[in-house]
Amino acid sequence: MKSAFTCFLFVLLFTSRLLFAQNGKIKWWNPETATFPVIEGQAWPKELKSPYDRLPARAEKQVREPVWDLAGMPSGLMLRFRANSSEISVRYVVSGQHALPHMPATGVSGVDLYALSNDGDWLWCAAKYAFGDTITFDFKNLNPNDNYHKKGREYRLFLPLYNKIKWLEIGTPEKAEFTPLAVRPDKPVVVYGTSIAQGACASRPGMAWTSILGRKLDRPLINLAFSGNGMLENKLINMISEIDAKMYVLDCLPNMTIRPEDPDSDLTIEDVYKRILASVHTLREKRPSVPIVLAAHAGYTDGDINPQSRHFYMEVNETLEKAYAALKSEGIKELYMIPKEDFKQDTETMVDGTHPNDLGMMRYAEGYEKHIRIILHEETGAFSTTKPLTQMRELYNYDWEARHREILELNKKSVPTNVIIGNSITHFWGGMPKGPRAVGEDSWMDTFGKNARNLGYGWDRIENVLWRVHHGELDGDPISRIFVNIGTNNLHLNTDDEIVEGWRLLIKAIKYRQPKAQITMLGIYPRRAQEARVEKLNKKLALLTGGTNVDYLDPGKVFLQKDGKIDESLFSDGLHPNAKGYSVLGKAIKSFVK
């Protein structure tokens, strides 16, 4: 009787969901219908046999059968979208078993939803889920908006780690706003590895160390890890070299150990040495300047109590050190190695002594982040001003991400003479790319000239500019002059010391990317009721520029009256200059531009 009642409830639930969809109360979106690339984490999106594959169709005849089979599992793939709904549903069908003996269904076959606040902070979304012929994840009671606008927030959906997707749909109420987002334009970090990098044994897809690292760096990451089959094979290395990457990570040693209990293995320690050398040589030949990271074997967490069966991994680590030394002695540049100790695996971090649990995955990600930030010169600090973040505080007048993409496209077409970085005060002055309004177009042209680029974004803070610098807005050919005016939007959130430290990191990031540019830090412009604090802060900025060997200018003094208060006739709201104010400001900067 109990079983029949349970069956009745299941049928009732399924029917109600079906009627809900049929009545038009929920709209479904299938990523396969998108007219632009939306599945992030794929290196060959135009060459796929199936929509969620990780290798191109031609690989089926080039790689070993197990590798090709594993490449159909969407580990590391992600979908981005915006929505302002309090409910989001995901339904899909997979082809394999839902769980593994040492890994739950939520990790093997589940999806994982993260949101970004409009200030760029990560938020995780819990779901009610059911694993059946069709798997469903229902996210309810979501806070659909922050305090800035009613356009919603960005979401990122991480796909299953160890199962193939036959089809997938995302649903929101029909009256809610839902916008698929294109794959980001950044060059990806490419990881070639083993089951550990594929995601075993994370409790959910977002807890795979590659997913954690992608969020920490806020960069696309391509996961080319194949469980039990990360062997530094030449055919795969050649394919990987086709990818225009930000960095290559080779983390294959856990599959290349020479085990005592397997004396008949075809792989020898000399083979391991040769494959490391060959892999680096191939990548360096095809991609001369892209950083290559070699990862040591992180060991086994039961090694101290079972040394006979576990300590053999030390041999491959010694071999890696030997190969690394040989490659460096050849003069190979941009080659790095992460030692075992930096992954900090211990007795609490693995499920079976080999595969990390969520804590172990976090330790892996932290070890990688520490090294990668140094390699890519993307330093961060303890204060919010030193942690690079996106933002989506202004959507009515323009789209922050779209403006970033537009600037990157403009940079590909031409190199500006002058670049002016800032917030809405800069954004709404004038110049290209055009904002929703230009209050002082004539004074902009008179001050900076035709070949100037406006890198001002409404609502931007220091940490947002730091993100933009890390993500390519100053990359490329030399720029003559860079002017930076940022910090006024940090005044209500940060102390003076936190703002100064943010400036310090920002100056360092700019100087690395444009070492020949004349960099000028512009003091924060005075604003209503904060004139005294701004004056104090600008003195600290002047001292900082002296210590960092960049120029300093305080043109905002032209906005002040004799009593130290702003001249309200030069402003529209006590913060943003009007046309007359921009004209006065431009005259104070113009001679410095010349």
Side-chain angles (χ1 to χ4, degrees):
M1 189 70 181
K2 183 178 179 181
S3 177
F5 181 69
T6 302
C7 184
F8 170 75
L9 285 179
F10 175 79
V11 171
L12 182 64
L13 176 64
F14 179 79
T15 304
S16 65
R17 285 182 58 85
L18 184 62
L19 288 173
F20 188 57
Q22 290 175 343
N23 289 337
K25 293 182 180 180
I26 190 168
K27 55 185 177 184
W28 293 97
W29 173 72
N30 188 323
E32 295 178 49
T33 66
T35 57
F36 51 86
V38 294
I39 303 174
E40 189 164 288
Q42 293 175 321
W44 300 272
K46 297 180 180 179
E47 299 184 54
L48 301 176
K49 182 176 181 180
S50 298
Y52 297 98
D53 283 352
R54 292 185 288 149
L55 288 178
R58 55 187 156 91
E60 185 174 10
K61 297 181 179 180
Q62 298 177 27
V63 301
R64 292 181 295 107
E65 185 177 347
V67 174
W68 174 250
D69 183 60
L70 291 161
M73 299 175 180
S75 178
L77 301 191
M78 179 184 72
L79 295 161
R80 296 191 313 130
F81 58 90
R82 287 184 188 147
N84 66 348
S85 172
S86 61
E87 297 183 11
I88 296 172
S89 296
V90 184
R91 62 185 184 186
Y92 57 102
V93 171
V94 297
S95 61
Q97 60 185 2
H98 291 159
L100 296 172
H102 63 331
M103 188 173 175
T106 50
V108 173
S109 306
V111 294
D112 207 0
L113 187 66
Y114 281 76
L116 281 168
S117 77
N118 293 159
D119 287 324
D121 297 313
W122 287 102
L123 308 167
W124 178 72
C125 308
K128 298 285 187 181
Y129 46 80
F131 288 89
D133 291 340
T134 298
I135 300 173
T136 60
F137 274 67
D138 292 314
F139 304 89
K140 296 183 180 296
N141 302 315
L142 303 173
N143 184 3
N145 299 290
D146 289 332
N147 297 325
Y148 299 100
H149 52 71
K150 301 300 181 183
K151 298 284 187 177
R153 63 177 85 250
E154 178 183 331
Y155 290 90
R156 300 185 185 181
L157 184 72
F158 293 87
L159 302 185
L161 298 171
Y162 268 86
N163 221 327
K164 298 178 183 179
I165 294 176
K166 291 184 177 181
W167 60 265
L168 178 145
E169 292 179 329
I170 300 172
T172 53
E174 62 179 354
K175 292 184 179 180
E177 293 196 25
F178 178 89
T179 306
L181 295 176
V183 170
R184 291 173 291 176
D186 305 68
K187 292 183 180 182
V189 173
V190 178
V191 177
Y192 175 27
T194 70
S195 57
I196 297 170
Q198 185 171 336
C201 289
S203 65
R204 46 189 175 82
M207 288 309 296
W209 73 253
T210 50
S211 300
I212 298 171
L213 181 64
R215 291 195 300 276
K216 285 179 173 290
L217 299 175
D218 202 12
R219 286 192 173 279
L221 187 145
I222 292 177
N223 187 326
L224 295 178
F226 307 104
S227 187
N229 288 274
M231 304 291 288
L232 292 180
E233 294 173 280
N234 185 55
K235 290 180 179 178
L236 277 166
I237 291 292
N238 276 319
M239 282 187 185
I240 289 169
S241 71
E242 298 172 10
I243 305 170
D244 186 12
K246 188 74 174 179
M247 168 184 289
Y248 300 109
V249 175
L250 304 181
D251 191 350
C252 290
L253 292 192
N255 284 163
M256 301 179 75
T257 52
I258 315 301
R259 299 172 181 269
E261 67 270 20
D262 189 16
D264 298 327
S265 172
D266 293 334
L267 190 70
T268 68
I269 201 65
E270 184 62 25
D271 293 332
V272 175
Y273 180 77
K274 290 179 179 178
R275 289 191 187 191
I276 295 171
L277 295 184
S279 297
V280 172
H281 286 150
T282 298
L283 292 174
R284 185 50 72 237
E285 179 183 354
K286 301 286 183 63
R287 303 287 177 178
S289 60
V290 178
I292 301 171
V293 175
L294 305 174
H297 194 309
Y300 303 98
T301 53
D302 62 335
D304 290 340
I305 200 169
N306 188 7
Q308 184 175 352
S309 299
R310 292 300 205 179
H311 280 188
F312 56 83
Y313 76 86
M314 295 179 180
E315 187 177 26
V316 291
N317 277 352
E318 292 169 357
T319 303
L320 176 65
E321 292 173 2
K322 176 183 173 183
Y324 180 71
L327 291 163
K328 294 294 284 186
S329 68
E330 292 177 21
I332 291 181
K333 306 295 184 184
E334 293 294 324
L335 180 66
Y336 306 89
M337 189 184 80
I338 302 180
K340 167 189 178 294
E341 293 73 23
D342 283 11
F343 293 123
K344 296 183 179 179
Q345 300 298 313
D346 59 35
T347 55
E348 311 296 344
T349 63
M350 291 189 182
V351 171
D352 53 7
T354 302
H355 300 96
N357 56 27
D358 290 353
L359 176 59
M361 289 292 186
M362 185 62 72
R363 298 265 182 88
Y364 261 102
E366 289 170 348
Y368 272 110
E369 183 191 17
K370 170 187 170 183
H371 285 266
I372 290 174
R373 286 203 176 279
I374 294 171
I375 294 167
L376 297 182
H377 298 269
E378 295 183 357
E379 187 178 344
T380 63
F383 304 132
S384 64
T385 55
T386 64
K387 298 180 185 298
L389 291 174
T390 60
Q391 60 103 337
M392 202 171 70
R393 303 180 192 106
E394 168 86 70
L395 270 185
Y396 289 108
N397 291 325
Y398 77 100
D399 185 307
W400 195 90
E401 181 177 325
R403 183 167 175 82
H404 173 63
R405 287 175 181 262
E406 185 178 8
I407 286 169
L408 295 182
E409 288 301 314
L410 281 174
N411 289 349
K412 290 178 183 178
K413 296 175 182 177
S414 65
V415 181
T417 302
N418 298 314
V419 165
I420 302 86
I421 298 173
N423 46 51
S424 57
I425 299 173
T426 298
H427 187 185
F428 299 142
W429 191 344
M432 295 291 293
K434 286 188 176 297
R437 63 180 184 271
V439 178
E441 187 69 56
D442 291 342
S443 63
W444 173 277
M445 290 294 294
D446 185 58
T447 303
F448 300 111
K450 292 182 179 180
N451 194 24
R453 191 143 300 155
N454 186 326
L455 268 59
Y457 287 50
W459 286 91
D460 254 17
R461 301 171 186 153
I462 297 169
E463 55 266 34
N464 306 130
V465 175
L466 190 61
W467 187 96
R468 295 197 273 123
V469 171
H470 285 180
H471 288 256
E473 290 192 8
L474 296 181
D475 289 358
D477 295 330
I479 299 167
S480 297
R481 289 176 291 272
I482 299 172
F483 297 87
V484 182
N485 172 253
I486 197 69
T488 196
N489 290 324
N490 292 93
L491 292 176
H492 67 293
L493 295 170
N494 300 105
T495 67
D496 289 4
D497 288 343
E498 290 170 348
I499 291 172
V500 170
E501 188 58 27
W503 280 332
R504 187 189 309 278
L505 280 195
L506 180 58
I507 290 169
K508 187 175 182 179
I510 294 172
K511 288 180 71 174
Y512 171 75
R513 287 155 181 81
Q514 288 291 335
K516 296 181 180 180
Q518 177 184 341
I519 302 168
T520 302
M521 297 296 293
L522 303 176
I524 295 176
Y525 304 139
R527 56 188 294 176
R528 183 188 296 151
Q530 297 210 44
E531 295 92 341
R533 185 182 177 195
V534 167
E535 181 183 12
K536 179 182 175 183
L537 253 177
N538 285 345
K539 290 177 180 177
K540 292 185 177 183
L541 178 57
L543 289 172
L544 176 63
T545 58
T548 53
N549 196 29
V550 298
D551 294 329
Y552 171 74
L553 183 65
D554 187 11
K557 288 181 178 179
V558 297
F559 292 135
L560 295 174
Q561 302 176 119
K562 291 182 179 180
D563 61 0
K565 303 297 182 182
I566 63 169
D567 182 346
E568 295 281 356
S569 70
L570 301 177
F571 291 85
S572 61
D573 56 4
L575 172 64
H576 298 88
N578 54 28
K580 181 181 177 182
Y582 279 122
S583 177
V584 172
L585 179 64
K587 290 175 182 177
I589 297 174
K590 183 177 179 179
S591 61
F592 208 82
V593 176
K594 297 295 184 183

